[in-house]
Every structure is written in structure tokens, then in C-alpha cells.
Amino acid sequence: MDGRLATIYDVECPWGRDDDFFLATVGETPAARVLDLGCGTGRLTLALAAAGHTVTGVDPDRASLDAALAKPGADRVTWIEGTSGVLPRAAYDVAVLTSHVAQEIRAEEDWTRTLGDLRRALAPGGRLVFDSRDPAARRWERWNPCDSRRRLALPDGTVVDAWTEVTEVRDGLVSFVHHYLLPGGDELRSSGTLRFRPEAELRAALAAAGFTVERIHGGWHREPVGASDDGELIVTARAAG
């Protein structure tokens, strides 16, 4: 990630209802050893540490970790550049993947390996909590230059015009480009592809990896699947003992 994109990301993605949900859910295990896999610039990671948990943030993107390290309270967190393959055995009570990081793991063999790594990294009975958009909600249809148009005010006063466009939808994969138009005409672009997995597929993969699904919510106020405009599949699973 370009350092400028990390700054834009923090402005575009402030604290929200999803963070409230994850903070409260992790808090069900007081003073937990917490893994934040795909921690990004550390918004939730730092809040978990401030709440009294022992937190490790893992992310493969150096610029994101550098942005996290520059924030107040960063010294309370253990930061690791890498993926799930670097995780130690039975080291965590709770693991979270937030901001739809699970969807960034596109290839099924990578998803299977990641779930296996997480199962190994959690203590027996430890919890895995993550969010994944419900493909039935078809949220990508809102990712177009009209509906997604927005203006972002950066900390230095710069105003950025932003929009998103989908470039391809195929076989459960949605590819897109975020456009950020800077004053003077320069444009930054951030492209990505997300895997949209239905609920049954998530359940099957978790069971194969040694997890028991405790609950799946459809929205950040713990609504049933399909009953919220949030269009989420918010999963809480427990590692087999």
C-alpha cells in the first residue's frame, strides 16, 4: 500500500459499528490473548490493547504496519509483518479477521491453509470471529461511480474525490478499483478482488478445519442472516478442544 493510501484509508474507514461488535465480542473473554490477523493500520488492534487484552497484530503490508506503529499506544501491541503462516501454536484465546479480510483470501487452498493455521494458533476452545459479506445481498451492485461517490478530507486539509467501480464479477469473485482524485488532477488507484462465500460454504470450511460454528449474524446489531441491510455474515466459531 502506498503511504498516501494508508492515510486515505484511515479517513475513509473510521471507527464504526463493526468495531463496536468485535470489541464487545472479544471482551467476552477478559484479558484475552488476541490475534488480529490482517490488522491493517491498527484501528481495532489498538483499541483491543487499550481494553486490557494482550494483542498481536499481523499484516503482510509494510506501509499499513508503519502507519499503525506511528499511532499512540502502538507500543502496547506486538506487530508482525507476515501472514497466518508465521503464527505460533496455541498462543491465542481469540482471533479476529475484520474489515472483510477473510474475503481477501481468494484461492480456496489459501483459505483452507489460513483456517488450519488459525486452528493451530488458537488454544483449545479458543474463538475465531470474522466478517464476510453475504453474496445474497449483492452489495457490489452499489460499487459504481454514482452510488459510491464521496469526498474525503485528509488531516492536512487536502480534499480527495473518491469513487469505486466494479470491473468484473465471475465465479464468486468481485474485482474493483477505488479511485482517489487529488487536487491538481493526480489520481491514486487501489484495485482488489474479493471472494464472496455463501454461509453454507463458510460452515463447511470451518468444520473441515476443526471449528464449531457457534453463531452467524447478518448485521452488526446481531440480526439473523438476511434480516439486516448490512448484508453480512458475521461468524463466531470455536476451536475444538
Side-chain angles (χ1 to χ4, degrees), residues 130-137 197-203 213-236:
F130 67 91
D131 55 353
S132 187
R133 294 182 183 88
D134 186 352
R197 297 179 176 91
E199 180 182 353
E201 188 175 318
L202 291 174
R203 287 181 178 274
V213 174
E214 293 192 333
R215 54 187 181 267
I216 299 182
H217 298 296
W220 297 114
H221 293 297
R222 303 177 187 269
E223 301 94 333
V225 173
S228 169
D229 188 55
D230 292 337
E232 298 285 348
L233 296 171
I234 309 164
V235 179
T236 301

Side-chain angles (χ1 to χ4, degrees), residues 150-182:
R150 53 212 186 266
R151 303 199 87 191
L152 308 171
L154 304 188
D156 65 0
T158 301
V159 176
V160 177
D161 288 309
W163 66 96
T164 301
E165 62 174 336
V166 170
T167 56
E168 185 177 34
V169 179
R170 181 172 57 86
D171 299 331
L173 294 170
V174 177
S175 298
F176 57 91
V177 179
H178 296 309
H179 298 263
Y180 302 102
L181 186 63
L182 305 176

Side-chain angles (χ1 to χ4, degrees), residues 14-34:
W15 188 271
R17 291 178 300 145
D18 54 337
D19 300 295
D20 289 333
F21 177 94
F22 283 110
L23 186 61
T25 300
V26 173
E28 294 169 6
T29 306
R33 298 171 298 165
V34 183

Side-chain angles (χ1 to χ4, degrees), residues 37-38 83-84 97 100-115 118 173 193-197:
L37 181 62
T83 65
S84 63
L97 289 77
H100 308 108
V101 163
Q103 292 184 257
E104 301 273 4
I105 307 169
R106 297 177 288 273
E108 288 313 304
E109 59 269 27
D110 293 337
W111 179 233
T112 298
R113 181 170 55 251
T114 299
L115 289 178
L118 287 165
L173 294 170
T193 299
L194 299 177
R195 170 74 67 180
F196 281 72
R197 297 179 176 91

